Amino acid sequence: MAAKWSNWARQQTCAPTRVERPANEEQLSEAVARAVREGLPVRPVGSGHSFTDTCLTDGVLVDQSGMQRVLEVDRTTGLVKVEAGIKLHRLAAELHRHGLALENQGDIDKQSLAGALATATHGTGERFRNMSANVVGCRLVTATGEVVEIDEARDPDAWRAARVSVGALGVISQYTLRCVPAFRIHRIDEIRPAAEVLGDLDALVAAHDHFEVMALPHTDKVLTYASRRTDRPATPPGRIAAWWNDDAVSNVGLGAACGLGRLLPGAVPGIARTMSGLIGRYEQLDDSHRVFAHERRVRFTEMEYAIPRAHAVEALERVRALISDRRLPVLFPVELRFTAPDDAFLSTAHGRDTAYVAVHQIARAEYETFFRAVEAIMDEYEGRPHWGKRHFQTAATLAPRYPGWQDFQAVRARLDPEGVFTNDYVRRVLGPVGADRG
């Protein structure tokens, strides 16, 4: 009987012919070559934290969770070579031991490095780029089982394609990352009037190394995460304050509120206002990886769109109005973050200062009505969906939004001409191999 696989949110499920669990690059190469000899498609999988069907296959699923070693660390240059399956929380802890850190991170660290990079995962901060922008090079297992070394000097187009690849070029076995000296972050979380924050948004983003807005549905309030880098000694929050913020409100409280909202959708606006009253000021000063990431135990599904930063306030206000005017049963905050531009062909921040608007719904609830309405708004700003989060786009609608689209397709046709690493999701969002050549 074929093994079944499901993602973190338990909404994407498949029954692959076989699950391969290589422990090193040699075994990975053999697994891919064996699948190709048998005429089976191949898809890599990390921690399953993507919300789309990007990992699903009835062929061979390559689970890279056995490839989590840090292979080389050069503290002088900051270059670190790691196996692609390493989880972000493990990588961050290992880097810290060597006096290094990732330049920026997202707010969850349970993903594999390969999965995070392949889907254009990012943090927030107008001076900092998408995480994949710090990929100096990688080793890619192609459909022949051959291992190809990719970096800017050897093959600049493949380097720009492989940094955000949606797993469509092959299976990456190793990355070389550019890291930075370890640093600490002083972060203050507080509830503020939405009009005040959004009216002064550019100044707030510029004044902080990392700034994030969480708009609270059915209220006139936002929760802001305002962070500055510092050399001051770490002063972690007290046990009770941490429990209240990280557990009682953000996990147990949110889960209970969402459960009640499913039973009583008409009560959601009142529940949202009650929840906003439970959020107090919270302060952290700790090592960067301990501040960036949050514990998320409430299972949810998510959509996130990257839009030109100039439209950030207008887009967020339209989503807030959508929720309020339609009295949608939404309790998760609407998230707004920022990054600098980069040059990976399929990066959601390719060539433009970027704002990200993210919406969520509890995993057991109907989400499509809300998400499609949000997507219609983002389409007006040439929005680019996060490759690992819910969206309803196709290759036809996405191609005009990426200046490097045809360059990526040319690399894809060169590295995987037979479409071994294609599944329904890849076919839907990137089209068939070779479709954009010529």
Side-chain angles (χ1 to χ4, degrees):
M1 180 181 294
K4 288 189 177 180
W5 178 89
S6 61
N7 69 341
W8 175 84
R10 298 173 182 165
Q11 293 183 318
Q12 303 287 357
T13 303
C14 68
T17 300
R18 183 170 67 250
V19 178
E20 296 275 11
R21 296 181 172 86
N24 53 48
E25 185 180 79
E26 182 179 2
Q27 292 180 13
L28 172 60
S29 178
E30 291 171 353
V32 171
R34 184 163 49 247
V36 172
R37 286 196 301 270
E38 297 171 3
L40 296 172
V42 177
R43 287 301 291 166
V45 63
S47 63
H49 216 286
S50 289
F51 301 102
T52 64
D53 48 333
T54 182
C55 294
L56 303 191
T57 184
D58 57 3
V60 173
L61 194 68
V62 178
D63 180 348
Q64 292 184 268
S65 58
M67 300 177 65
Q68 297 203 48
R69 294 178 299 162
V70 175
L71 302 170
E72 295 178 14
V73 177
D74 187 331
R75 293 184 60 177
T76 302
T77 62
L79 296 182
V80 178
K81 184 178 293 185
V82 299
E83 290 183 318
I86 193 168
K87 301 299 188 291
L88 293 180
H89 63 89
R90 180 169 176 174
L91 173 60
E94 285 291 309
L95 291 176
H96 186 70
R97 287 181 51 244
H98 292 281
L100 296 172
L102 295 171
E103 181 184 64
N104 202 3
Q105 285 185 240
D107 60 2
I108 295 175
D109 62 3
K110 305 303 183 187
Q111 309 100 313
S112 70
L113 178 65
L117 298 178
T119 56
T121 295
H122 58 91
T124 190
E126 69 173 7
R127 295 187 292 109
F128 303 101
R129 299 171 299 168
N130 186 301
M131 288 179 65
S132 67
N134 287 304
V135 172
V136 174
C138 65
R139 288 171 64 85
L140 178 83
V141 178
T142 69
T144 63
E146 177 189 5
V147 179
V148 179
E149 191 89 29
I150 295 174
D151 57 36
E152 187 175 17
R154 287 183 175 91
D155 192 336
D157 279 357
W159 175 67
R160 288 185 176 86
R163 278 163 35 205
V164 181
S165 68
V166 202
L169 305 180
V171 183
I172 293 176
S173 60
Q174 297 176 17
Y175 286 102
T176 300
L177 304 174
R178 180 181 293 106
C179 299
V180 299
F183 60 96
R184 298 189 185 95
I185 291 176
H186 180 209
R187 193 178 98 184
I188 298 174
D189 306 353
E190 56 187 343
I191 295 287
R192 299 176 62 178
E196 173 188 299
V197 171
L198 298 182
D200 199 28
L201 186 63
D202 284 344
L204 288 167
V205 172
H208 296 87
D209 293 303
H210 311 277
F211 192 78
E212 182 171 353
V213 178
M214 306 284 277
L216 306 179
H218 306 289
T219 77
D220 58 0
K221 301 175 183 178
V222 298
L223 172 63
T224 60
Y225 298 154
S227 300
R228 291 189 174 96
R229 298 180 178 218
T230 180
D231 295 326
R232 291 161 53 194
T235 54
R239 184 176 298 178
I240 293 176
W243 170 81
W244 179 257
N245 184 80
D246 299 336
D247 196 30
V249 175
S250 299
N251 284 295
V252 176
L254 178 60
C258 289
L260 181 60
R262 286 187 68 224
L263 294 174
L264 302 169
V268 163
I271 296 171
R273 289 189 286 272
T274 299
M275 284 292 295
S276 70
L278 299 176
I279 303 172
R281 189 178 189 274
Y282 185 63
E283 192 168 351
Q284 293 175 274
L285 199 171
D286 211 335
D287 297 314
S288 61
H289 63 286
R290 296 189 175 97
V291 177
F292 279 135
H294 307 265
E295 183 69 27
R296 295 285 185 251
R297 295 196 301 275
V298 179
R299 295 185 189 270
F300 58 88
T301 194
E302 181 178 358
M303 167 184 282
E304 181 178 61
Y305 264 86
I307 62 173
R309 180 178 160 180
H311 301 301
V313 172
E314 179 182 297
L316 180 62
E317 291 282 41
R318 291 179 67 184
V319 175
R320 293 178 66 226
L322 170 73
I323 295 170
S324 177
D325 293 348
R326 297 193 189 180
R327 293 179 63 85
L328 295 174
V330 176
L331 285 163
F332 279 84
V334 180
E335 189 174 19
L336 179 64
R337 294 182 285 173
F338 311 88
T339 66
D342 63 66
D343 63 354
F345 293 142
L346 293 188
S347 170
T348 46
H350 181 102
R352 66 190 191 191
D353 290 303
T354 298
Y356 298 86
V357 180
V359 294
H360 312 68
Q361 186 58 283
I362 191 169
R364 299 184 301 276
E366 191 274 328
Y367 65 86
E368 190 168 337
T369 301
F370 176 37
F371 285 13
R372 282 191 179 275
V374 171
E375 184 170 86
I377 294 171
M378 300 304 151
D379 282 344
E380 296 183 31
Y381 305 112
E382 296 186 340
R384 300 167 180 165
H386 187 298
W387 294 105
K389 299 179 183 181
R390 296 277 189 179
H391 64 91
F392 307 97
Q393 306 289 347
T394 65
T397 60
L398 290 170
R401 306 184 193 192
Y402 288 88
W405 184 268
Q406 291 191 3
D407 296 310
F408 179 89
Q409 297 290 6
V411 174
R412 181 185 174 204
R414 172 158 55 95
L415 293 177
D416 184 24
E418 303 303 320
V420 169
F421 302 101
T422 298
N423 67 351
D424 287 345
Y425 178 76
V426 172
R427 193 173 295 108
R428 185 168 67 250
V429 301
L430 296 181
V433 175
D436 288 282
R437 284 186 291 176

